[in-house]
Every structure is written in C-alpha cells, then in structure tokens.
Amino acid sequence: MRAMGLSLFSPVRFVKGVGEIRERAFLRLGVRTIEDLLFFFPRRYEDRRNITPLSTLAGGQMVSVVAEVLTFDQRTTQRGLNISTALLSDGKDVARAVWFNLPRLKDVIVPGVRVALYGKVEARDGLQLTNPEVEVLDESDPQSVGRIVSVYSATAGFSPKSIRRVVSSALDDYLSEVQDFIPSSIRQKYKFSDIRQAVAELHRPQGRESWLRARNRLAFDELFLLQTGLLLRKKRRAMPQACAGPLKPGEKYATFLKTLPFCLTMAQNRVIHEVLTDMGSELPMNRLLQGDVGSGKTAVALAAMVAAVDGGAQAAFMAPTEILAQQHFFRLRDLLKELGVQVELLTGSLPRKERKRALAAIASGEAGIVAGTHALFGEDVTFKRLGLVVVDEQHRFGVLQKNALLAKTDSPHVLVMTATPIPRTLTLSIYGDLDVSLLDELPAGRHPVKTHRASPRQMDQLLDFIRGEARKSRQAYWVCPLIEESEKLDLSAAFSRREGLEKALPELRVALISGQMPAGEKELVMAAFAKGEIDLLVATSVIEVGVDAPNATLMVIEDANHFGMAQLHQLRGRVGRGEGESHCVLLSGKTTPEGEARLSAMLSTFDGFAIAELDLRQRGPGEICGVRQHGVTDFRVANLARDRRILELARREAARLIEEDPELKNEPLLAQTLASRLGTALELAGTA
Ligand code: ADP
Ligand code: MG
C-alpha cells in the first residue's frame, strides 16, 4: 500500500523497496520522482517464453537461454586478462559461456544457480556464448521466466530483479494517478489507448502488436508536448518584448583577441562574426554551431562570452559532463585572468560551501562567466543578468532541459554547439527557426589521425607501440569496453585492465578514470594527465566528449566493435589535437558483418559528418549499441531518427490546437504539464 499524502511528483524514495542507496542510483539514471520511475521504460525485452534449448545453438545467433551452472572458474593470463568460464546445462545438453575482465562475476555465478543468459553464440572449440549478459534467476521472482521479461538500464545498486520489483510496486500503487494531457479530440482521432494502459504495456508487454501501439502513443505524447511548447515560444518571440538586448564587444574582447595563444582559422573568424552580429541585434540570437571534433568550437564560444561580458551581461557555458565543465572552467579562468573576468564553476558535486559562494557571485553579478553542467538551471540558481547561454556538445542534452535553462531569463542569446551533424529537417522541427553556422576547417598543422585495426592477439605489438610513444614523451588513452548492463561491471573491467597494463608496462605511469569516481578525484586525474604526469590513462567511456589534452597522441579502443561509429569518431577526436602524428587503434576480434563494416569505415573515413550519416543508416532499429545517457534524459520513448512520421503528426496537431486555442484555455492539464516540463508555458500562454 502507498503512504498518504504522496503524489506522482514525490521523490522516488517513497516507492516501496527504494532506500537511500537506490534513490541515489535512480538519480544517476535521471529518475527523480515517482512519475519518472513510471516512465522509466525497459531498455530492451527478452522473450523468455521461448527459450533456446542448448542443443539447438548455432554460431552467429543472438540467443536467450536459461540454464543451470555446473562449474565456474576464473583465471588471469600472463598479460593480465581475466577470463571467467562457466559450464551450463539445461538438463539435456551442455554449453559454455565465457566472459573477459569481469572478476566480480565469481561472487554471483556459483555452481547450482540458475541463470538467464542473453548474447551471441560463437564457434570456438565447439560453441560458446561470449560475454553474454547474465542474470541469476530467483524462483521467487515470477516476473523473470516464462514471459516477456523487461530489462532495464541498470546501475550500481540494482539487480535486474530488484529493479523490476520496484517498478512493479510503483505501477501497483501509482499508475492510476497518471493523467492524460493529450486533448481528447486527438485521442479519439487516433484511437489512442488509455495512457495508463500504455505505460503498463511498456513495462509488461503482452505482445509485439500491443507493445508497438503503446510505444507509438507515448512517443506521440512527448513529441506533441515539445511541439506545443516550441510553437508557443515562437509566438512569443515574434512579439515586441524585453530581451537581453544588444551586446557589443569592447575592451575586454580586444584584449582577449590579443592574448589568444593561436591565430583563429578563417572559419572561426567567419563564425565569430556571425555570432557577434546576432548578439548585437535587438532580437535574441538562436544559433546552432556545427563543427567536427577538434575544429575549435570552444574558441568561438569564448569570443561570444567575452563579448557578452563587455556588453554588461553574464554568460553561462553548459557542458554535458562534470569533467568537461571543469575543463572549460580551468581553461576559461586561465585565459581570462588578464581580462579581469570572474569565472565560476557550478556542478552537482560542488561542496555545499563552495556552491553557496558561487550562487552568491552569480546572483550579485560578480561572476561574469559561469561554466557548469545541467546544475546551472537548478531551482536555486539566479543570474543577475544572463545575456548569453552557450550549450556545448548539444546532442547530449535533452531538448527539454535546454528549454528549462532558457526559461531562467527573459530571452537570452543562445548558441548551441555540436559535433554531431543534425539533418536540417530535424533541426527545424526540434528547435524551430534556428540559424546554423558551420566550422568547416580544422586548425592548420593537423594531420588526420592514423587509424589501425588490431586483434587482441597482437597485444605484444601494441604494448611495444605504447612504450615507443611514451619514450617520445607522448601520452595515450586506453578506453575499456562498454558494458551496458551495469556500471559496476564497467568499472571492474577497467580496474583489471589497469592492473594488467601496469604489470605489462612497469616503466609507465598508468592511471584510471571512470564516470563513477567522485568529481574531485576525476579532476585530479585529468589535471595530472594534462600536466603530463600520466603516460597512459585507462578510462571507461567517460572521456568520450570534449576532453582536450594536445600531448596525447595514441587512443586505444578496446572491443571497438561494441561502439557506435559516432562514438568511435568522438573518441578518436581526443587525439590529433597537437603537432605530433597521432594514432587510433581499434582493438577487436572477429565480429558481426555490421561490426566489421563499421570498423572498416572508420579506417577510411575521417569526416564526422559522413560518419554520422553512415551511422544513422547502419543502425537499424532495435540495435542496442552506443549511446548511454547518464542522468541526462531527453525523450523517454521517442527517437528523433526513427519517429519522423510521428513528429510530423505531432507538429501538425500542435499547430492546429494553438490556432484554435492559443492560450490553452480548454486544456489546463496540457498547460500545466508544459509549465512543469518546459518551465515557461504558463508565462507563454499568458503573453500570447
Ligand atoms: P572542439 O571543436 O572539438 O570543441 P576544441 O575547441 O576543444 O575543439 O579545440 C581543439 C584544440 O584545438 C584545442 O586544443 C584548441 O586550443 C585548439 N585550437 C582551437 N582553435 C585553434 C586555432 N585556430 N589554431 C590552433 N589551435 C586551435
Ligand atoms: Mg568541444
């Protein structure tokens, strides 16, 4: 039973089975309220109604099997590779499963337990499952066998079973509270099922058909909400209004240009001119800057921010991760020291005292520029006069979140930056009327990163190569495999990889960085790497976006076949930033035909735009590799690449609605939902 006085908007810890630790884990997944939990949908489903008998396994298949563990053992090779092997039986036949670098498996997989495995069958000395996802089954959990089982993105602190149980209890107690904000005329027109039924279906699907209907309905909801918000905003933009006003560069800007340690490229000069022209006008800028990794977007942002400060306003620089926000912060502080511009950092993990001080400086206007994560639009953050918002690596942020920041102020100038090209049709429908600038030139003296494919059997050669680079005082990254199921496993793979590399390369200074380390620690490691005190940095995929260390010339990506192309391109973009020749090694054994195609395209293609297109085309629906969005949730269901038809529908219906009822007088629930999600709707409706 649920407790009294709780609503969908109460914190998730009030759900049965959620304590402090799990609440923290949920927060990392972007689940804050009970409503968030109800809309936290499975990452994929496993059809355990039809289990593949071990006797019918065939090489190359993806299979779901249920079996008993007969034996389990673990060993470490001389090179530090940890190998776990389990012998499995389903009563008729036996098969083997093998995992690499997951030393902690031995704590859960012991002889006698029943497990559900999902993964690929490979022919190696007979058939084996290689690195399958594994779940220990518990007979007391009826949700786990004989049906379609939901698999949620897990995080430390959860077993698949416990996350299912928590979701179940939230459904039992709170599903009836979910309300439908879609106008009833639209619901009838498209014969939408009940919203509560749709939510339940996504958690406990009855079958393919009903699941798809529910899923499309919920995707429509999200896109419709967004379109309505955008159209309302556009209406307001068209109206005479107070805005941050024209911001013109002055003395500080001139000094900034003089102290910049390099010459701007022609493309940078052109784009800065476009940006400053926008900022100098009465109307708020709304500009998207697209530029490949390494094209120097940060310098453009900096120029704009200094100009904003010259114009008497504040600027906010929003990055998708703490590491990146910190990096921006330190750079800005160093570069702007001589200009007398106070720079502040605002992230979620800032100690309380620091935070208080930063908030005060932001509110009083002392702080000219604030770098931060999405903590920048926390409820307690007030700017004195925010004139410019720069959003870095835009594709990592939710559209909704960006809008929340904009709601903080009366129409500031906005510059969003991305290395991931977005097709024009999509930008139009996501952002409305947006101007686009292109940084289509890399700074002089850059060489394309030499990209190599290597098999794990060539480890000795690879180690020699790393030694060679270190002897030249160059630095290297080693990115560990991405294990989607659990951050804990990610981390333990990275730990054992570091140990292995330390053993193999005793003369090198090896360090580890991972997404789950406390922010302060990450900062120390990144700073040490930047100072050259670390030769080889072993990382989980946290270094993916934006990290800049020009002396690093080698990037090794382990299990490269498990990454999406756009991600590989981002990772590769971490090297080749300085003068020296740089290399990227894609480590991968034999893989699927699609995996092979991805890898060989990476060897021959260096243009991020071309890669993004290939990536979109290659990634069929349902393929689950690639983007993990920690904490930063955007759409829960909709997928902009796939749901274009639904997007158009939503846009049309939203336009019709606003035409008929511009103040949403007949749709109070919609107005309210917009207000809570986008922050501005009521105000918008009010001025309309
Ligand atoms: P991205 O567009 O990927 O964000 P950055 O802004 O991080 O790229 O720039 C990549 C690197 O190139 C940084 O080390 C930066 O200092 C350097 N850089 C930027 N512009 C220039 C330039 N015009 N000439 C030389 N180096 C530059
Ligand atoms: Mg960048």
PDB file of all heavy atoms in Angstrom, residues 30 64 75 100 193 238 247 293 356 556 597 672:
ATOM      1  N   GLY A  30      18.536   9.524 -13.934  1.00  0.00           N
ATOM      2  CA  GLY A  30      17.617  10.595 -14.281  1.00  0.00           C
ATOM      3  C   GLY A  30      16.222  10.401 -13.704  1.00  0.00           C
ATOM      4  O   GLY A  30      15.282  11.076 -14.098  1.00  0.00           O
ATOM      5  N   SER A  64      18.690 -16.360 -26.230  1.00  0.00           N
ATOM      6  CA  SER A  64      18.301 -16.203 -24.850  1.00  0.00           C
ATOM      7  C   SER A  64      18.186 -17.615 -24.290  1.00  0.00           C
ATOM      8  O   SER A  64      17.406 -18.411 -24.791  1.00  0.00           O
ATOM      9  CB  SER A  64      16.959 -15.474 -24.863  1.00  0.00           C
ATOM     10  OG  SER A  64      16.445 -15.367 -23.592  1.00  0.00           O
ATOM     11  N   ARG A  75      40.492 -17.423 -14.324  1.00  0.00           N
ATOM     12  CA  ARG A  75      41.952 -17.369 -14.288  1.00  0.00           C
ATOM     13  C   ARG A  75      42.406 -16.046 -14.899  1.00  0.00           C
ATOM     14  O   ARG A  75      41.639 -15.363 -15.592  1.00  0.00           O
ATOM     15  CB  ARG A  75      42.547 -18.540 -15.051  1.00  0.00           C
ATOM     16  CG  ARG A  75      42.277 -18.478 -16.518  1.00  0.00           C
ATOM     17  CD  ARG A  75      42.584 -19.826 -17.189  1.00  0.00           C
ATOM     18  NE  ARG A  75      42.136 -19.771 -18.565  1.00  0.00           N
ATOM     19  CZ  ARG A  75      42.882 -19.320 -19.567  1.00  0.00           C
ATOM     20  NH1 ARG A  75      44.118 -18.906 -19.366  1.00  0.00           N
ATOM     21  NH2 ARG A  75      42.397 -19.282 -20.789  1.00  0.00           N
ATOM     22  N   PHE A 100      35.192 -11.909 -20.314  1.00  0.00           N
ATOM     23  CA  PHE A 100      36.521 -11.337 -20.143  1.00  0.00           C
ATOM     24  C   PHE A 100      36.485 -10.170 -19.177  1.00  0.00           C
ATOM     25  O   PHE A 100      35.591  -9.327 -19.239  1.00  0.00           O
ATOM     26  CB  PHE A 100      37.069 -10.879 -21.490  1.00  0.00           C
ATOM     27  CG  PHE A 100      37.193 -12.010 -22.460  1.00  0.00           C
ATOM     28  CD1 PHE A 100      36.335 -12.106 -23.538  1.00  0.00           C
ATOM     29  CD2 PHE A 100      38.138 -13.005 -22.253  1.00  0.00           C
ATOM     30  CE1 PHE A 100      36.424 -13.161 -24.414  1.00  0.00           C
ATOM     31  CE2 PHE A 100      38.227 -14.066 -23.123  1.00  0.00           C
ATOM     32  CZ  PHE A 100      37.381 -14.154 -24.210  1.00  0.00           C
ATOM     33  N   SER A 193      -4.962   4.288 -27.030  1.00  0.00           N
ATOM     34  CA  SER A 193      -5.384   3.526 -25.863  1.00  0.00           C
ATOM     35  C   SER A 193      -5.217   4.429 -24.637  1.00  0.00           C
ATOM     36  O   SER A 193      -4.584   5.482 -24.697  1.00  0.00           O
ATOM     37  CB  SER A 193      -4.529   2.280 -25.709  1.00  0.00           C
ATOM     38  OG  SER A 193      -3.173   2.643 -25.685  1.00  0.00           O
ATOM     39  N   ALA A 238       7.925  36.361 -31.588  1.00  0.00           N
ATOM     40  CA  ALA A 238       7.524  37.276 -32.643  1.00  0.00           C
ATOM     41  C   ALA A 238       6.985  38.585 -32.080  1.00  0.00           C
ATOM     42  O   ALA A 238       6.721  39.514 -32.805  1.00  0.00           O
ATOM     43  CB  ALA A 238       6.484  36.607 -33.526  1.00  0.00           C
ATOM     44  N   LEU A 247      24.336  43.100 -27.325  1.00  0.00           N
ATOM     45  CA  LEU A 247      25.574  43.007 -26.551  1.00  0.00           C
ATOM     46  C   LEU A 247      26.730  43.218 -27.523  1.00  0.00           C
ATOM     47  O   LEU A 247      26.883  42.458 -28.471  1.00  0.00           O
ATOM     48  CB  LEU A 247      25.681  41.635 -25.887  1.00  0.00           C
ATOM     49  CG  LEU A 247      24.579  41.275 -24.871  1.00  0.00           C
ATOM     50  CD1 LEU A 247      24.724  39.838 -24.419  1.00  0.00           C
ATOM     51  CD2 LEU A 247      24.631  42.229 -23.691  1.00  0.00           C
ATOM     52  N   VAL A 293      34.784  17.375 -34.404  1.00  0.00           N
ATOM     53  CA  VAL A 293      35.667  17.361 -33.241  1.00  0.00           C
ATOM     54  C   VAL A 293      36.996  18.001 -33.611  1.00  0.00           C
ATOM     55  O   VAL A 293      37.564  17.718 -34.656  1.00  0.00           O
ATOM     56  CB  VAL A 293      35.955  15.922 -32.719  1.00  0.00           C
ATOM     57  CG1 VAL A 293      34.897  15.494 -31.745  1.00  0.00           C
ATOM     58  CG2 VAL A 293      36.052  14.946 -33.859  1.00  0.00           C
ATOM     59  N   LYS A 356      27.459  27.624  -2.279  1.00  0.00           N
ATOM     60  CA  LYS A 356      26.816  28.809  -1.744  1.00  0.00           C
ATOM     61  C   LYS A 356      27.527  30.079  -2.236  1.00  0.00           C
ATOM     62  O   LYS A 356      26.901  31.040  -2.659  1.00  0.00           O
ATOM     63  CB  LYS A 356      26.847  28.756  -0.208  1.00  0.00           C
ATOM     64  CG  LYS A 356      25.520  29.147   0.406  1.00  0.00           C
ATOM     65  CD  LYS A 356      25.511  28.935   1.885  1.00  0.00           C
ATOM     66  CE  LYS A 356      25.028  30.219   2.545  1.00  0.00           C
ATOM     67  NZ  LYS A 356      25.246  30.239   3.973  1.00  0.00           N
ATOM     68  N   VAL A 556      43.678   3.956 -27.751  1.00  0.00           N
ATOM     69  CA  VAL A 556      43.375   2.549 -27.968  1.00  0.00           C
ATOM     70  C   VAL A 556      41.930   2.325 -27.534  1.00  0.00           C
ATOM     71  O   VAL A 556      41.541   2.710 -26.432  1.00  0.00           O
ATOM     72  CB  VAL A 556      44.297   1.637 -27.134  1.00  0.00           C
ATOM     73  CG1 VAL A 556      43.942   0.170 -27.368  1.00  0.00           C
ATOM     74  CG2 VAL A 556      45.747   1.905 -27.480  1.00  0.00           C
ATOM     75  N   ALA A 597      31.840  -3.811 -40.867  1.00  0.00           N
ATOM     76  CA  ALA A 597      31.608  -2.675 -41.769  1.00  0.00           C
ATOM     77  C   ALA A 597      31.879  -1.360 -41.045  1.00  0.00           C
ATOM     78  O   ALA A 597      32.509  -0.460 -41.591  1.00  0.00           O
ATOM     79  CB  ALA A 597      30.177  -2.701 -42.297  1.00  0.00           C
ATOM     80  N   GLN A 672      -0.459  22.917 -17.817  1.00  0.00           N
ATOM     81  CA  GLN A 672       0.239  22.644 -16.569  1.00  0.00           C
ATOM     82  C   GLN A 672       1.452  21.736 -16.801  1.00  0.00           C
ATOM     83  O   GLN A 672       2.527  21.959 -16.253  1.00  0.00           O
ATOM     84  CB  GLN A 672      -0.753  21.951 -15.652  1.00  0.00           C
ATOM     85  CG  GLN A 672      -0.395  21.928 -14.204  1.00  0.00           C
ATOM     86  CD  GLN A 672      -1.410  21.035 -13.481  1.00  0.00           C
ATOM     87  OE1 GLN A 672      -2.615  21.027 -13.807  1.00  0.00           O
ATOM     88  NE2 GLN A 672      -0.940  20.271 -12.540  1.00  0.00           N
TER      89      GLN A 672
END
